[in-house]
């Protein structure tokens, strides 16, 4: 489980571009046709492109790896009150969120430290969260710059 954010228009356009490919895989599978390894890889590549982190989609986990939690914030407490009845952030609220998170301090939790890759240092963990913070800020700013709304499934 996690927070899923979409640039509504851009995501819909990207889905439309990939619809024929995705539909063909769905029909093949629905008809009991076994996909080849190459077809399976192509399908995974299409989905990877559709859900590329920070492009038209952003995902944050609900665990110790959450960038929002590392910044001392909560999707539920801080973002849900900003959403309209359809679960979207207005441009104004998107900019408010950008301002909240842009310079927020990062705190790496004990839980994250216990579960991060063995070869990571605290500096690696800080770098990971800073990169996620920058991806989230970039994603939100791009939505505003392109006059897109941000849909939130929280």
């Amino acid at each position: 489980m996690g927070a899923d954010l979409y640039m509504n228009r851009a995501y819909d356009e990207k889905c439309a571009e990939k619809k024929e490919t995705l539909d063909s895989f769905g029909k093949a599978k629905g008809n009991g046709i076994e996909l080849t390894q190459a077809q399976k890889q192509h399908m995974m590549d299409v989905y990877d492109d559709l859900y590329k982190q920070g492009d038209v989609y952003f995902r944050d986990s609900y665990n110790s790896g959450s960038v929002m939690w590392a910044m001392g914030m909560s999707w539920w407490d801080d973002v849900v009150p900003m959403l309209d009845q359809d679960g979207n952030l207005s441009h104004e609220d998107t900019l408010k969120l950008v301002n909240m998170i842009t310079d927020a301090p990062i705190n790496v939790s004990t839980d994250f430290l216990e579960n991060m890759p063995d070869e990571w240092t605290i500096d690696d963990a800080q770098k990971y969260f800073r990169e996620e913070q920058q991806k989230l800020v970039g994603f939100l700013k791009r939505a505003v710059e392109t006059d897109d709304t941000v849909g939130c499934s929280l």
Side-chain angles (χ1 to χ4, degrees), residues 1-6 53 57-69 75-76 128 153-154:
M1 295 201 34
D4 296 295
L5 283 66
Y6 304 86
Q53 181 77 328
Y57 171 80
F58 185 88
R59 179 173 178 79
D60 191 32
S61 61
Y62 290 151
N63 60 33
S64 62
S66 168
V67 69
M68 284 295 276
W69 292 358
W75 289 107
W76 304 294
Y128 165 78
S153 177
L154 307 176

Side-chain angles (χ1 to χ4, degrees), residues 45-111:
D45 292 344
V46 169
Y47 276 103
D48 286 347
D49 181 54
L50 186 59
Y51 293 100
K52 180 181 174 189
Q53 181 77 328
D55 183 25
V56 299
Y57 171 80
F58 185 88
R59 179 173 178 79
D60 191 32
S61 61
Y62 290 151
N63 60 33
S64 62
S66 168
V67 69
M68 284 295 276
W69 292 358
M71 293 184 291
M73 293 181 229
S74 162
W75 289 107
W76 304 294
D77 295 338
D78 297 305
V79 179
V80 167
M82 297 179 179
L83 301 178
D84 67 16
Q85 63 189 9
D86 296 320
N88 296 314
L89 284 169
S90 68
H91 293 298
E92 180 181 317
D93 286 327
T94 300
L95 288 173
K96 282 182 192 175
L97 184 57
V98 166
N99 290 333
M100 288 169 55
I101 64 178
T102 296
D103 295 317
I106 298 289
N107 299 300
V108 180
S109 71
T110 303
D111 285 343

